[in-house]
Amino acid sequence: MLISVVSLFPEMVSTIGEYGVVGRAQQRELMTLEVENPRDHASDAHRTVDDRPYGGGPGMVMKYEPVAAALEAAKGNLPAGCPVVYLSPQGQAFDQAMAQRFAKMPGLVLLAGRYEGIDERLLESHIDEEVSLGDFVLSGGEIAAMAVIDAVVRLLPGVLGDDESAVQDSFMRGLLDHPHYTRPEEIAGRKVPDVLLSGDHARIARWRQKQALGRSYLRRPDLLEKLDLDDEQQTLLDEFLKEQS
Ligand code: 4FM
């Protein structure tokens, strides 16, 4: 997969390709990360990329021309039909299903804005999707773009080993993860649940599923509402709630 990010801070974005899972994916050429700087596409001597907003008010707006030129350069290196995504709080909510959809694409263009926003006409002419990580305001789209890259790249075939892939299973099924424990067996009177020391793999799997269902019910009922629990899952959730009280 070829991912191209348009950003005024290219070195900030390229660091995502130097560490951890995404770094390994890039080294193994399962993913290539490119960054295009609108400043390199500005036509004036000062290389201007921003200007004052029509109608007045505080802050600056990213100019149409250099951003459009950078997006076209970014698209030029990708197969036709790859989505161009703008990260902003006004976008559709990003989730695991969207990450899976992007992971099926041969390429992806991500526009990371700065200042108060981009000229609205860019959205009409160059952007396929506006996507938000959540209801909060960042200083720019770079960190949001990096989060999208991380979530997408870990889904690409061959990027994760078998152990790491298994860890994704819970959220892929639309549930929160179960609790995790490692040595020592007791910390200041807090003991690891007995079932995890039993060696009974079927019982452990059942306990983990129950915890995942129970935590999802208590913390994120919106996630559970989207699911159609089977009889086994409903029984586990009922047991969890009974054990709670
Ligand atoms: C976006 C700053 C565009 C400046 C931002 C511009 C955000 C979010 C976010 C800040 N992105 N989810 N929440 N971006 O806050 O995705 Cl021009």
Side-chain angles (χ1 to χ4, degrees), residues 7-24:
S7 165
L8 289 170
F9 298 108
E11 54 295 320
M12 184 178 173
V13 174
S14 53
T15 58
I16 185 82
E18 294 175 20
Y19 300 97
V21 168
V22 179
R24 216 192 317 132

Side-chain angles (χ1 to χ4, degrees), residues 67 71 84-86 111 118 121-130:
V67 174
L71 284 170
V84 179
V85 175
Y86 174 52
L111 171 58
I118 61 173
R121 291 162 293 189
L122 281 163
L123 282 141
E124 299 156 11
S125 60
H126 285 75
I127 304 299
D128 299 312
E129 297 187 48
E130 195 169 0

